Amino acid sequence: MVRRNSAYVWRRVVLLLLFLFCLTFIVSASNPNSPEGFLIIAHRGASGHEAENTMAAFEEAERLGSDFIEFDVQLSKDRKLVVIHDDTVDRTTEHTGAVDDYTLGELEDMDAGKSSNSDKKDEKILPLQDVMDRFAGKMAMLIEIKDSKLYPGIEEQVAEVVRRYEERLNSTDLKGTRHLKGIGGVENSAGIIIQSYDFESTRLIHNLLPNIPVAALIHEDQHPLSDDTLDALASFTAYIHYPKELLDEQTVQKIHDRNRKVIAWTIQNDEDMERMKELGVDGVITDYPG
């Protein structure tokens, strides 16, 4: 009888321990700020290694295991979406002038490797569709809409491309790749986040693509954000992307209190990376992923 009671007690202890383990796992998995959800976002691709916003930079970010590639979109003269950060081609190519002074074909003929220290040459300015085609279902993407006031209607064009991307993800060929690393916890996400400094542009994207998470990019001169501004942003954004120099525990906590994620930009070294982790941010945008 004593032996039977002892076995019964041990079974209860084991079951209790299993229950506590499972409970801990569930709480950790549901916590939006858990370390397991820390995102590494490759800024303009792995731009510390390859020419920014080029296929070489994006493929290097993929090789290094980044969760996202981040890139910028502008409009060409013939109103095609192209991947380039500046509104001119001066810094990254051997040409000069505004991006929208050139057609898509003319932009594609430019060498986009001027700003890189890499030995690789002949990296091209890319149409947005080429990036989507290459990485659809393979890597998550953070798309930044640049100069929305310079390009009226750019939000609608981006939304149309993303809708086509969603349709591809729902096709038979890509169903198995939907749960991309780093994006699984974002409800109804197709592996895309869209960001902008322009809050109205971000709100418009949210209205056009209600199932795609959007992020508000915070400029240095907007800090500190008032509680009213944070409340307004939380009504339509999933992420708030903040300059690393201005982040502190209070700012991170205010964003988390509104059940939104905070991403720090732009991280360039291990010291900054460790500081951001100590602050409890949800991820970083960095030139040096991996």
Side-chain angles (χ1 to χ4, degrees):
M1 175 66 78
V2 173
R3 187 178 299 172
R4 188 181 307 161
N5 287 340
S6 176
Y8 173 77
V9 169
W10 275 110
R11 281 199 298 271
R12 294 294 296 271
V13 169
V14 170
L15 287 172
L16 178 60
L17 289 173
L18 284 172
F19 171 77
L20 291 174
F21 172 80
C22 291
L23 182 62
T24 301
F25 177 79
I26 290 168
V27 170
S28 173
S30 63
N31 181 0
N33 308 317
S34 63
E36 291 82 359
F38 192 84
L39 299 178
I40 301 296
I41 301 172
H43 184 230
R44 309 177 198 171
S47 55
H49 304 288
E50 302 291 350
E52 68 182 56
N53 281 328
T54 64
M55 195 62 76
F58 299 143
E59 289 179 343
E60 179 65 4
E62 180 183 36
R63 188 188 70 80
L64 291 170
S66 307
D67 298 313
F68 281 77
I69 51 173
E70 183 268 352
F71 53 86
D72 315 273
V73 292
Q74 314 253 9
L75 281 176
S76 65
K77 183 177 182 179
D78 47 351
R79 295 191 62 81
K80 304 296 184 182
L81 291 162
V82 292
V83 177
I84 183 171
H85 177 271
D86 300 355
D87 59 9
T88 73
V89 298
D90 300 34
R91 182 176 61 86
T92 55
T93 79
E94 297 296 337
H95 297 262
T96 60
V99 172
D100 61 356
D101 282 344
Y102 296 93
T103 65
L104 172 60
E106 291 169 334
L107 292 167
E108 287 182 291
D109 284 341
M110 297 179 185
D111 184 341
K114 178 182 172 183
S115 65
S116 173
N117 295 323
S118 171
D119 292 333
K120 292 182 181 178
K121 302 297 181 185
D122 298 324
E123 288 298 330
K124 305 301 183 184
I125 295 176
L126 301 165
L128 174 60
Q129 193 59 56
D130 282 11
V131 180
M132 305 294 266
D133 287 345
R134 169 63 177 79
F135 295 101
K138 298 176 183 176
M139 286 199 71
M141 306 179 201
L142 172 58
I143 303 172
E144 181 175 346
I145 294 179
K146 305 294 292 186
D147 299 308
S148 57
K149 290 181 174 57
L150 183 62
Y151 306 116
I154 190 172
E155 293 89 355
E156 286 83 0
Q157 287 191 242
V158 170
E160 180 57 33
V161 172
V162 171
R163 288 191 192 101
R164 293 199 299 269
Y165 177 61
E166 286 188 284
E167 290 172 3
R168 288 189 62 186
L169 282 178
N170 285 322
S171 70
T172 303
D173 290 340
L174 291 174
K175 278 181 180 177
T177 58
R178 248 193 114 91
H179 298 293
L180 301 171
K181 181 181 177 186
I183 200 70
V186 182
E187 186 177 358
N188 295 322
S189 173
I192 288 177
I193 298 172
I194 300 174
Q195 67 177 2
S196 176
Y197 282 110
D198 185 335
F199 295 165
E200 289 309 309
S201 176
T202 309
R203 187 191 296 272
L204 176 56
I205 281 289
H206 172 67
N207 292 336
L208 291 167
L209 298 167
N211 291 332
I212 299 295
V214 296
L217 262 172
I218 307 304
H219 197 273
E220 287 91 339
D221 59 12
Q222 293 170 313
H223 176 78
L225 296 177
S226 69
D227 287 342
D228 287 344
T229 299
L230 279 170
D231 289 340
L233 292 176
S235 70
F236 62 90
T237 66
Y239 294 82
I240 295 179
H241 294 178
Y242 228 94
K244 69 177 188 296
E245 298 86 357
L246 302 179
L247 276 174
D248 53 31
E249 289 181 4
Q250 183 181 27
T251 301
V252 172
Q253 188 60 53
K254 282 186 173 184
I255 295 171
H256 284 164
D257 285 346
R258 290 161 173 82
N259 199 29
R260 297 296 178 263
K261 293 182 182 291
V262 54
I263 305 293
W265 60 269
T266 301
I267 305 304
Q268 306 288 30
N269 55 58
D270 292 341
E271 182 180 353
D272 286 338
M273 179 73 80
E274 289 307 311
R275 178 174 170 265
M276 292 303 104
K277 289 182 177 179
E278 289 172 4
L279 288 176
V281 304
D282 302 285
V284 296
I285 299 172
T286 175
D287 291 348
Y288 298 94

